[in-house]
Amino acid sequence: MNLLDVAPAEAARIIDDWVAARGEAAYRARQILPRLWQRPVAAWSDATDLPQNLRSALESDFPLPRPGGRTEQVSADGTVKFLFEFRDRGAVESVLIPEGRRRTLCISSQAGCAYGCVFCATGRMGFIRHLAAWEIAAQVRELVLDEAYGRPANVVFMGMGEPLHNWEAVDLALTILNDPLGLGIGARHITVSTIGIVPKLELLAARPEQFRVALSLHAPTTEARRAIMPVEGKYPLASVLETLRRFPKRVTFEYVMIRDVNDSERDARELARHALALGALVNLLPLHPGGAPGLEPTARAEARRFAKLLRDQGVNATLRRSRGLDISAACGQLRTEVDQQRDVPPEEHAGVEQ
Ligand code: SAH
Ligand code: SF4
């Protein structure tokens, strides 16, 4: 039985029953539960507030699985890339991005990705496998276990994989990340980035918590979007935007700027129209060249002009810088932007250019 792969409230019930069945005092359950997520231990043997026999019994009844062979690479700008190896070809990347005193962790939901966006390195790997909920949340748990890092302020699903393609596990992982009995990260500090799998987007929207949603839009018309994102054939932009319109949640558009593909004045006008209709924030991201042979990033000056066109139309748009380029950080490609914390003025974030 893997207690890390169920909702914390369910783990609490299982532990209560287990403690009762063994004839142990009820308060033991309250010592055991926090060791899953709140004050996690690497193994039960580290839970030294418990008697030895209880630790051994926990180890045999509820072993705590962990990824093997973690490696780290640190970028000159402070970005750290982790490689986690789960069993069965489940190697994934997470990227930790320092922004002032806050840290944002970018996590993966799948090994590889089935959706084949032409600019994306993960897409080119193809689909390898879904991560289990515990494997998604373990990327955060491992950080908490490490004294050098601790709990990140924000978590974004912008690593490898399409989170809504793995909805069942992501749904449970969101509970584990957010529940005070779990990792206790506020819903407004958790962002799900998606290309817009409509039926699953509705399920995410139906959750009562205020999780943030980032839509990978990348091209403002169906024709242009289909050329770079095959998903457009199945879930056209209009249906995705219509779903988001019914969303009582804060939405950000992500827009990777690709030279001569999606950076014209007309693109800016169309994009502005969608953003204003939804009150969406727009994150403009430089294309990470590693992800996309044959495509080039929009020149910086052009990208600034594009951003200004959006702002002139009243759109809240931010042009970001790539982070961790020297270590190919970004979960399969890069990770740049992140952070949708609107309570923080943009100039406090390293990497943001106005
Ligand atoms: N599958 C989800 C989440 C993972 S990708 C999604 O696509 O939203 C996270 C972000 O990285 C997305 O906005 C994605 O479009 C972006 N991305 C992918 N390849 C990139 C590249 N080569 N340069 C810049 N951003 C890229
Ligand atoms: Fe998959 Fe997102 Fe990459 Fe597209 S951008 S291939 S959905 S990970």
Side-chain angles (χ1 to χ4, degrees), residues 113 119-121 157-163 193-195 214 216 218 254 256 285-288 291-292 333-335 337:
C113 180
F119 46 81
C120 174
F157 284 77
M158 294 183 181
M160 297 165 79
E162 166 49 49
S193 177
T194 177
I195 50 173
S216 286
H218 305 319
E254 294 183 90
V256 172
L285 319 168
L287 174 76
H288 189 279
Q333 54 270 318
L334 82 166
R335 186 60 253 142
E337 81 289 271

Side-chain angles (χ1 to χ4, degrees), residues 264-277:
S264 71
E265 250 189 77
R266 190 166 156 242
D267 291 324
R269 277 198 304 274
E270 291 281 318
L271 177 58
R273 203 166 54 78
H274 295 315
L276 292 172

Side-chain angles (χ1 to χ4, degrees), residues 134-215:
W134 79 267
E135 293 171 321
I136 298 170
Q139 296 164 64
V140 188
R141 190 177 194 270
E142 288 296 312
L143 221 62
V144 181
L145 282 174
D146 190 327
E147 280 175 13
Y149 298 109
R151 200 175 68 157
N154 307 298
V155 173
V156 298
F157 284 77
M158 294 183 181
M160 297 165 79
E162 166 49 49
L164 297 189
H165 182 213
N166 187 16
W167 171 247
E168 208 176 307
V170 168
D171 190 25
L172 175 53
L174 286 170
T175 300
I176 295 170
L177 294 177
N178 176 240
D179 191 328
L181 295 177
L183 286 158
I185 298 168
R188 288 182 171 80
H189 295 268
I190 301 172
T191 300
V192 178
S193 177
T194 177
I195 50 173
I197 313 237
V198 169
K200 302 297 156 59
L201 195 55
E202 282 167 356
L203 297 178
L204 172 63
R207 286 197 57 148
E209 307 93 335
Q210 289 300 314
F211 297 119
R212 291 177 191 250
V213 176
L215 173 67

Side-chain angles (χ1 to χ4, degrees), residues 23 33 52 66 86 95 122 148 159 179 190 215 241 257 274 276 295 297 302 319 330 341:
L33 181 68
Q52 177 60 51
R66 290 182 66 194
F86 296 103
V95 178
T122 310
D179 191 328
I190 301 172
L215 173 67
L241 294 173
M257 301 216 60
H274 295 315
L276 292 172
L295 299 176
E302 286 300 316
L319 175 60
Q341 307 310 310

